[in-house]
Amino acid sequence: MACVNVTNVVVLDNPARFDNPFQFEVTFDILAPITDDLEWKLTYVGSAETQEFDQELDSVLVAPQGVGPYKFVFQGDPPDARIIPPHDLLGVTVILLSCFYHDREFIRIGYYINTEYDSPDLNETPPEQPLYEHLVRNILADKPRVTRYQIDW
């Protein structure tokens, strides 16, 4: 049986400029006593073709306080757009919010993100060199993909 149950995640500041921090309000229950920290990670998938361009945006340790409900806002830096291949910068990609206990992932919540320019003209005819200051992102917050993994607690 899982000792931690994620009950809700709310995507904050969405849609947003591409260079704004990501913010997620995470609500979870600790169902049975745990002795060590939970590690939350935020990963931006830079390319569907290879993990080489994935960026771990942030990680945070949450210390257990005992059985009960918990809520926190996880804020992570935006990805470095210059690391993402230009042909993968626009369009749909994924952001992953994962939680680990003893270095074992027990939940992964994925959201599709659409990145585009802030002007219809730029979207119709994208420039050859990306104009990073005109990028905006929209997380499809109402359609998360949740994967749970069995681990030994």
Side-chain angles (χ1 to χ4, degrees):
M1 176 182 103
C3 292
V4 176
N5 182 37
V6 177
T7 56
N8 195 30
V9 177
V10 178
V11 178
L12 305 174
D13 190 27
N14 186 52
R17 303 221 46 90
F18 187 83
D19 57 1
N20 280 13
F22 286 95
Q23 296 181 59
F24 297 90
E25 182 184 81
V26 180
T27 306
F28 64 96
D29 292 324
I30 295 182
L31 305 172
I34 56 176
T35 57
D36 292 312
D37 295 343
L38 297 172
E39 181 180 20
W40 295 85
K41 292 183 182 180
L42 192 59
T43 305
Y44 184 88
V45 176
S47 174
E49 298 165 9
T50 176
Q51 292 182 353
E52 176 184 354
F53 302 107
D54 290 1
Q55 297 177 49
E56 185 176 308
L57 304 179
D58 209 344
S59 68
V60 64
L61 296 175
V62 176
Q65 302 294 317
V67 173
Y70 295 88
K71 183 187 291 192
F72 72 101
V73 173
F74 186 5
Q75 180 170 306
D77 293 332
D80 183 345
R82 288 159 180 79
I83 294 175
I84 302 167
H87 65 276
D88 287 325
L89 190 58
L90 298 175
V92 177
T93 190
V94 175
I95 186 97
L96 302 172
L97 176 63
S98 304
C99 193
F100 297 76
Y101 185 69
H102 289 161
D103 294 321
R104 292 179 303 237
E105 183 178 25
F106 65 89
I107 190 165
R108 179 182 298 169
I109 305 163
Y111 293 93
Y112 291 108
I113 303 175
N114 186 48
T115 302
E116 61 186 3
Y117 284 108
D118 58 5
S119 127
D121 292 339
L122 289 173
N123 285 318
E124 276 185 39
T125 313
E128 214 168 286
Q129 292 300 317
L131 299 174
Y132 301 111
E133 66 277 8
H134 290 282
L135 293 174
V136 293
R137 67 168 191 251
N138 185 13
I139 300 172
L140 301 179
D142 60 339
K143 298 185 185 211
R145 300 289 184 251
V146 179
T147 306
R148 300 179 197 284
Y149 303 98
Q150 294 284 29
I151 66 167
D152 292 327
W153 292 89

